[in-house]
Amino acid sequence: MASAIAGRSGRAAVTALQAALAVAVLLGTWEILVRVYEIPIWLVPKPSDFLARLYTDAALIAYHAAATSWTILLGFLLGVLVAVPLALAIVSFGALERGLYPLIVFLNIMPKTVVGPIFVVWFGIGPLVSVFLVFLMCFFPVMVDSMSGFRAVDRRLFYITRSMGATRWQEFRHLRLPAAMGPIYAGMKIGIVKAIEGVIIAEFIASQAGLGYLIMRASGFMDLTLMFAALVATALVALLFNAVLTGGERLLLPWARHLQR
Amino acid sequence: MSRGASIKVRGLCKTYGSGARAVHALGPIDFDVAAGEFVSLIGPSGCGKSTTMLLVAGLEPITAGRVEIDGRPLTEPLSDVGIVFQDHLLLEFRTALGNVMLQQQIRRLDRDEQRARAAELFSRLGLAGAEDRYPWQLSGGMRQRVSIARALVHDPSMLLMDEPFGALDAITRTQIRHDLELLWLDTRKTVLFITHSIDEAIGLSDRVLVMSPGPGRIVEEIPIDLPRPRPAHLGDHPEFARYARRIYDIFENLGIYRFHRDRP
């Protein structure tokens, strides 16, 4: 067992090393090409330029990264908190499924970013627009996967719990909810990717803080190194959220370990 | 230890749907199972075996007729019972022991006592050491053993089994059949066992009820008078061959089997 764990973390270390190596090769090639062909910094900055910017402008970038992270967190939590109970309600009541579900599907087909300008009119320039857009982006994948999760329980399992004399609450608590956890979590993992996409677009159009805002502002000044630095910061924020979700999965869904490898 | 309960079934019918699209699936059927008796229902697919089991468990509404358990008419889902289906139907998010302890949690039974009973069942069913494994880490046979433990841990007076070994390979099936027989000999719970397998029916039962489809009826009742525990290789037993032949003949007479005897 101990050797298996050591083997796994060893393998993880090798994988991380390979990834780091690939990034280093990419950035190195980039650096060399830009230097050799003397491409001006306002057209394509060198990795050394924008990585340095991450350091010299650390406070500025951290401030906007924090704003973006906060927006993602709020919008995402709101999305999950609405999507999961709504999914349960839709699965439980046929009328809701027939009435509400088609509407939600229609709303989802519509590109969510187009409602951004409408939100600007309603809520003004500010974090609320971004939070709502993030909410919209991650809401649907979480809801669809939650619905399939709440449906996934084999009917005959309810025979067994009913013969145990289970109340509806016990059925939910011991059967439906834990059975749906895997799909809900899968939906959340898709949702967080959508949320990060949504937050940057929202910050492009309607905000005074956040990495999307920083990128737009830097674009106005043709400050490409700052734009690239903010881009790297965005990727780091995305990585952080993914890491938290992946880590949480091991904690919350220990039975699904074979699916997580 | 709770002893077996008796089952009395009279004029039992089940119709699914209503009006022009109603399907008369079962009955009327009559049968009795004595306290502590092991009775099998055998028949082809669609003969209403599983429906009969669900009606006896009070899990589906009865269309006509009645079911009595220990002389009391059944009006709600039977609680003093353990149920095993063909697929193990374990909760994938619980360990083997966690699945068995579901009984204790839902029924709010004494935790320590149920744990002790679970431990005993695990050792009797050859599951010792598998307590903390998740269903995906167990073989098909072990999963089915866990679901048998789940059906027995609260010491019910009746065990209902719907093709419990149907999804297992022949070798595993022989072993688990033998283990179930020994467990039953010690506890003498009333068992209603549903199967496709003539071997299983004869190998386990005190009595076999043969069913025919469309709508499901009981066409023959065959008491199995063989010594217990019964051997794994039943074929050696001349009596076994006689019983098996009888069931084959019934199925052939019903047109369920079509043997081409006149072919060269």
Side-chain angles (χ1 to χ4, degrees):
Chain A
M1 197 67 185
S3 72
I5 289 166
R8 195 173 302 165
S9 68
R11 246 182 298 144
V14 170
T15 310
L17 201 70
Q18 285 170 333
L21 202 68
V23 172
V25 168
L26 174 74
L27 292 180
T29 316
W30 181 343
E31 182 84 26
I32 290 164
L33 286 177
V34 173
R35 279 178 194 273
V36 167
Y37 292 102
E38 292 177 0
I39 299 167
I41 193 168
W42 47 264
L43 191 61
V44 180
K46 295 189 292 293
S48 58
D49 295 329
F50 62 76
L51 290 178
R53 227 21 215 285
L54 270 178
Y55 178 72
T56 56
D57 287 81
L60 176 78
I61 292 169
Y63 168 75
H64 288 288
T68 297
S69 305
W70 184 237
T71 309
I72 294 173
L73 192 67
L74 282 182
F76 180 70
L77 285 182
L78 194 65
V80 173
L81 287 180
V82 175
V84 175
L86 191 64
L88 180 66
I90 289 177
V91 168
S92 307
F93 304 105
L96 275 184
E97 164 132 45
R98 288 183 295 275
L100 198 57
Y101 190 60
L103 187 73
I104 293 172
V105 170
F106 172 75
L107 287 177
N108 182 58
I109 284 171
M110 182 180 65
K112 253 94 34 212
T113 45
V114 301
V115 298
I118 299 173
F119 282 175
V120 173
V121 173
W122 286 348
F123 307 119
I125 305 281
L128 213 54
V129 176
S130 310
V131 170
F132 269 110
L133 209 58
V134 169
F135 163 76
L136 275 187
M137 292 288 274
C138 62
F139 165 77
F140 199 76
V142 176
M143 196 192 72
V144 169
D145 281 12
S146 305
M147 280 174 64
S148 71
F150 285 125
R151 282 212 182 98
V153 181
D154 192 312
R155 246 175 65 83
R156 290 168 305 164
L157 264 170
F158 292 113
Y159 284 145
I160 290 180
T161 51
R162 270 167 58 202
S163 80
M164 296 176 183
T167 60
R168 290 206 72 161
W169 162 248
Q170 284 180 318
E171 225 169 65
F172 176 75
R173 151 99 183 66
H174 291 297
L175 211 59
R176 294 200 106 147
L177 184 64
M181 282 292 282
I184 289 174
Y185 216 88
M188 281 166 64
K189 278 158 86 177
I190 300 171
I192 198 74
V193 175
K194 293 271 175 196
I196 293 160
E197 232 177 274
V199 75
I200 298 299
I201 292 168
E203 287 171 354
F204 281 170
I205 54 179
S207 75
Q208 283 154 335
L211 291 167
Y213 166 75
L214 185 66
I215 290 171
M216 277 315 257
R217 204 181 61 176
S219 163
F221 294 112
M222 300 266 291
D223 187 352
L224 255 90
T225 53
L226 184 58
M227 288 174 75
F228 272 89
L231 206 136
V232 173
T234 310
L236 290 178
V237 167
L239 264 176
L240 176 75
F241 275 98
N242 272 309
V244 168
L245 269 186
T246 309
E249 188 168 22
R250 285 173 179 274
L251 224 69
L252 291 168
L253 313 175
W255 65 85
R257 203 151 285 168
H258 65 304
L259 304 172
Q260 289 162 9
R261 229 162 271 155
Chain B
M1 178 150 314
S2 87
R3 51 181 292 282
S6 67
I7 308 171
K8 182 173 175 183
V9 170
R10 289 293 176 274
L12 189 65
C13 287
K14 179 69 182 175
T15 305
Y16 289 103
S18 59
R21 284 201 293 177
V23 178
H24 183 194
L26 178 71
I29 59 168
D30 304 87
F31 67 91
D32 291 277
V33 181
E37 198 181 13
F38 197 123
V39 171
S40 288
L41 292 175
I42 189 170
S45 299
C47 73
K49 310 185 290 289
S50 303
T51 303
T52 306
M53 189 193 90
L54 291 174
L55 295 179
V56 167
L59 290 168
E60 286 284 340
I62 291 170
T63 308
R66 66 179 201 277
V67 175
E68 285 175 18
I69 307 296
D70 271 343
R72 282 185 302 276
L74 191 67
T75 50
E76 57 179 7
L78 190 60
S79 170
D80 186 15
V81 68
I83 303 179
V84 182
F85 284 102
Q86 175 173 356
D87 325 297
H88 52 85
L89 292 180
L90 296 179
L91 304 175
E92 53 160 8
F93 45 85
R94 281 175 175 250
T95 60
L97 184 62
N99 266 285
V100 172
M101 293 301 281
L102 185 70
Q103 292 275 16
Q104 177 264 325
Q105 283 176 288
I106 290 188
R107 294 173 186 270
R108 303 186 194 287
L109 302 172
D110 184 77
R111 195 160 171 277
D112 294 335
E113 189 210 316
Q114 286 291 295
R115 254 183 193 279
R117 276 197 54 88
E120 192 204 321
L121 279 168
F122 268 61
S123 87
R124 287 220 49 174
L125 286 162
L127 288 166
E131 288 86 352
D132 295 329
R133 290 203 224 151
Y134 287 102
W136 64 272
Q137 294 170 308
L138 301 172
S139 67
M142 285 175 92
R143 278 181 223 155
Q144 203 54 287
R145 286 164 189 270
V146 174
S147 72
I148 292 171
R150 178 177 63 186
L152 288 173
V153 69
H154 55 299
D155 196 19
S157 53
M158 194 191 303
L159 191 56
L160 301 177
M161 307 182 94
D162 186 359
E163 288 182 49
F165 313 143
L168 304 177
D169 64 87
I171 291 174
T172 309
R173 210 185 295 184
T174 302
Q175 181 65 53
I176 201 169
R177 184 186 87 205
H178 175 71
D179 294 346
L180 175 68
E181 189 188 15
L182 292 189
L183 203 59
W184 175 77
L185 282 172
D186 285 354
T187 56
R188 294 286 178 171
K189 296 179 187 309
T190 305
V191 182
L192 189 61
F193 187 91
I194 283 151
T195 183
H196 275 133
S197 157
I198 292 174
D199 279 19
E200 266 170 24
I202 301 171
L204 283 167
S205 315
D206 294 324
R207 225 157 17 108
V208 177
L209 304 176
V210 185
M211 294 185 74
S212 75
R217 303 214 190 240
I218 294 172
V219 290
E220 186 98 26
E221 178 189 327
I222 306 173
I224 307 292
D225 190 17
L226 292 175
R228 289 184 187 270
R230 294 176 184 165
H233 38 91
L234 287 156
D236 291 356
H237 225 287
E239 286 292 290
F240 166 81
R242 213 167 50 79
Y243 287 125
R245 175 62 192 267
R246 223 173 125 188
I247 299 176
Y248 275 112
D249 283 348
I250 295 167
F251 283 166
E252 200 177 354
N253 288 336
L254 288 168
I256 292 159
Y257 277 133
R258 284 178 300 277
F259 297 121
H260 297 277
R261 295 194 197 282
D262 48 347
R263 270 173 87 135

